[in-house]
């Protein structure tokens, strides 16, 4: 069974997304979720910080943080090939 997450888009529409993986960064002190839309036209993988207790997502704030998330994603993809 795949893990799913429901994202509310800017237009207010809720879309079910598939979770690719989650991880915790000790450097930044946050948990992250990387996900994608299985049924969408784009194969883009998106990422947010998340709070497991509240279930709330929040934006990744800095270029350095995005770079760290990108590096984790690239390492994940290399391992799955």
């Amino acid at each position: 069974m795949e893990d799913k997450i429901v994202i509310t888009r800017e237009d207010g529409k809720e879309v079910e997304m598939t979770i690719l993986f989650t991880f915790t960064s000790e450097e930044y002190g946050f948990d992250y979720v990387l996900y994608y839309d299985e049924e969408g036209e784009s194969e883009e993988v998106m990422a947010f910080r998340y709070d497991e207790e509240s279930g709330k997502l929040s934006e990744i704030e800095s270029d350095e943080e995005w770079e760290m998330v990108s590096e984790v994603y690239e390492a994940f993809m290399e391992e799955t090939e």
Side-chain angles (χ1 to χ4, degrees):
M1 182 170 149
E2 296 179 63
D3 290 322
K4 302 288 183 177
I5 188 170
V6 176
I7 302 295
T8 303
R9 297 188 328 196
E10 290 178 5
D11 63 5
K13 181 179 178 185
E14 290 186 345
V15 181
E16 187 176 76
M17 302 287 193
T18 301
I19 296 174
L20 183 60
F21 70 96
T22 62
F23 72 96
T24 301
S25 169
E26 291 182 21
E27 178 182 356
Y28 288 93
F30 293 106
D31 295 320
Y32 297 88
V33 58
L34 282 81
Y35 62 92
Y36 63 98
D37 185 355
E38 266 187 82
E39 298 177 16
E41 295 176 13
S42 171
E43 294 182 15
E44 179 181 22
V45 173
M46 295 157 276
F48 275 106
R49 291 178 182 167
Y50 81 99
D51 182 321
E52 190 170 356
E53 288 182 25
S54 69
K56 295 190 182 224
L57 300 174
S58 58
E59 297 283 331
I60 296 171
E61 296 180 356
S62 69
D63 290 341
E64 293 82 10
E65 194 174 2
W66 270 115
E67 187 172 323
M68 178 273 302
V69 170
S70 294
E71 288 173 4
V72 171
Y73 171 71
E74 289 172 16
F76 172 83
M77 294 306 291
E78 286 178 12
E79 287 180 17
T80 59
E81 288 182 352

